[in-house]
Amino acid sequence: MLSQVTLVSLLASASLGSATPITPRQAAQQVVRINSIENVAVRSNGLILATNMNSATLYSVDPVAKTSSTALSVSGTNGLSGIAEYQPDQFAVIGGGKSIYKVDFSSGTPRSTLIKTITEAQNLNGLAYFDNSTVLVADAGRGNVYKMDVNTGAYSEVARDPTMAPTGGIPFGIDGIRYANGTLWYTNIFRNSFHKIPLDPVTAKSTGAQTTLWTNLMGDDLCFGPNGKIYVTTNSRNSLVEVDPTAARPSPVSVGTVTGSTSCAFGRTDRDRNVAYVGGGQGVFAVTIRL
């Protein structure tokens, strides 16, 4: 796993000369300040979970009180990245760039256990829900995607494509991933690109060629909105952009400004279903989306 310092350095050196100009629609509202948030997920009770690549602490953020606390410390790792819920209040989270852990809130007291270490992995980063017993995991170093059974730890490669591979000597390719309805959506952060590829809805194996949606805007992680749109964080471009997934060549529209935006997840209560919570270099921010 790249350290946050290294990642910032690599972002600064990445070629952005042809990047699409982004005009922000609104400034985001800061929820809490926690340095260098890598990924976020939202629990059904409305609390936000936030990870940091340089810490084993899984943070719990209350967006109403605007406070943060330690949900738990994941034993056996020194940093956390991608996180996704696969069963009610049960989450899979990447630790240390090679391992997948289970974090279980369903019994009241949160507990973490190791699911599996993928020894051949180089830099696991993105993680997405596939079904109630399976998650998809992107290896930014190898440029591929695994599926993993969260109950047994069994895993296998299900997708690999040149658009997922690192580029320009930077050992970091495919980054954020999300799956829905037979399609895997993914970014390649240092190629400034966004893609989709069909997956079999049962086996999760790729079933066709990928489609490149853009090659001129840095994308980090992404999330699905309640309006059917996709939202992509742009890291050093400091924004959250909205994408129409039905467009052949979507034009990203900025919906908010967040410094060093890395990840996003929508609220799950009646109060905040139209709010995208965005992780970034200076904490967790709220961007209200006009539905």
Side-chain angles (χ1 to χ4, degrees):
M1 182 65 66
L2 297 177
S3 71
Q4 191 67 26
V5 172
T6 302
L7 183 57
V8 169
S9 175
L10 292 175
L11 285 168
S13 66
S15 174
L16 298 174
S18 61
T20 298
I22 294 294
T23 302
R25 185 183 295 174
Q26 63 173 304
Q29 302 299 311
Q30 189 166 41
V31 178
V32 294
R33 183 178 181 92
I34 306 172
N35 289 337
S36 303
I37 294 300
E38 171 63 14
N39 217 293
V40 292
V42 180
R43 296 176 61 192
S44 59
N45 63 5
L47 296 178
I48 304 163
L49 300 176
T51 67
N52 181 304
M53 292 171 72
N54 296 317
S55 173
T57 298
L58 181 63
Y59 297 97
S60 178
V61 176
D62 186 331
V64 177
K66 295 189 175 182
T67 58
S68 65
S69 59
T70 297
L72 82 166
S73 181
V74 178
S75 179
T77 186
N78 57 7
L80 304 174
S81 51
I83 183 170
E85 184 179 36
Y86 59 87
Q87 289 275 10
D89 246 2
Q90 297 179 46
F91 295 80
V93 61
I94 296 170
K98 286 180 177 289
S99 300
I100 309 297
Y101 293 82
K102 173 183 178 179
V103 177
D104 189 352
F105 293 89
S106 63
S107 62
T109 302
R111 294 180 172 85
S112 66
T113 54
L114 175 66
I115 298 174
K116 189 72 174 183
T117 296
I118 301 178
T119 55
E120 68 270 29
Q122 293 182 9
N123 197 345
L124 302 180
N125 186 266
L127 188 148
Y129 169 89
F130 182 75
D131 63 31
N132 289 342
S133 63
T134 310
V135 293
L136 301 175
V137 189
D139 189 337
R142 291 172 60 91
N144 67 339
V145 178
Y146 301 99
K147 73 168 182 179
M148 176 175 287
D149 186 312
V150 295
N151 296 314
T152 67
Y155 68 92
S156 61
E157 180 180 292
V158 293
R160 179 185 290 267
D161 190 84
T163 60
M164 300 177 181
T167 185
I170 301 174
F172 205 97
I174 185 173
D175 195 335
I177 60 173
R178 286 294 182 273
Y179 170 83
N181 303 319
T183 299
L184 179 72
W185 306 81
Y186 62 96
T187 63
N188 188 314
I189 189 167
F190 293 115
R191 290 182 185 269
N192 297 327
S193 60
F194 185 42
H195 312 264
K196 64 179 181 178
I197 191 169
L199 300 185
D200 185 283
V202 176
T203 67
K205 292 183 178 180
S206 58
T207 58
Q210 69 83 30
T211 300
T212 297
L213 302 171
W214 71 59
T215 58
N216 59 355
L217 176 64
M218 179 174 284
D220 196 324
D221 210 340
L222 59 148
C223 57
F224 297 132
N227 54 1
K229 302 294 180 63
I230 296 175
Y231 294 83
V232 181
T233 57
T234 65
N235 205 300
S236 65
R237 300 303 309 282
N238 304 321
S239 63
L240 178 71
V241 299
E242 181 182 271
V243 178
D244 181 355
T246 66
R249 297 287 290 183
S251 298
V253 177
S254 178
V255 294
T257 301
V258 176
T259 299
S261 58
T262 57
S263 52
C264 59
F266 273 81
R268 297 177 61 182
T269 69
D270 291 340
R271 175 192 56 80
D272 62 357
R273 292 187 192 280
N274 66 328
V275 176
Y277 293 107
V278 182
Q282 298 176 9
V284 177
F285 293 78
V287 177
T288 300
I289 303 300
R290 296 184 299 209
L291 300 181

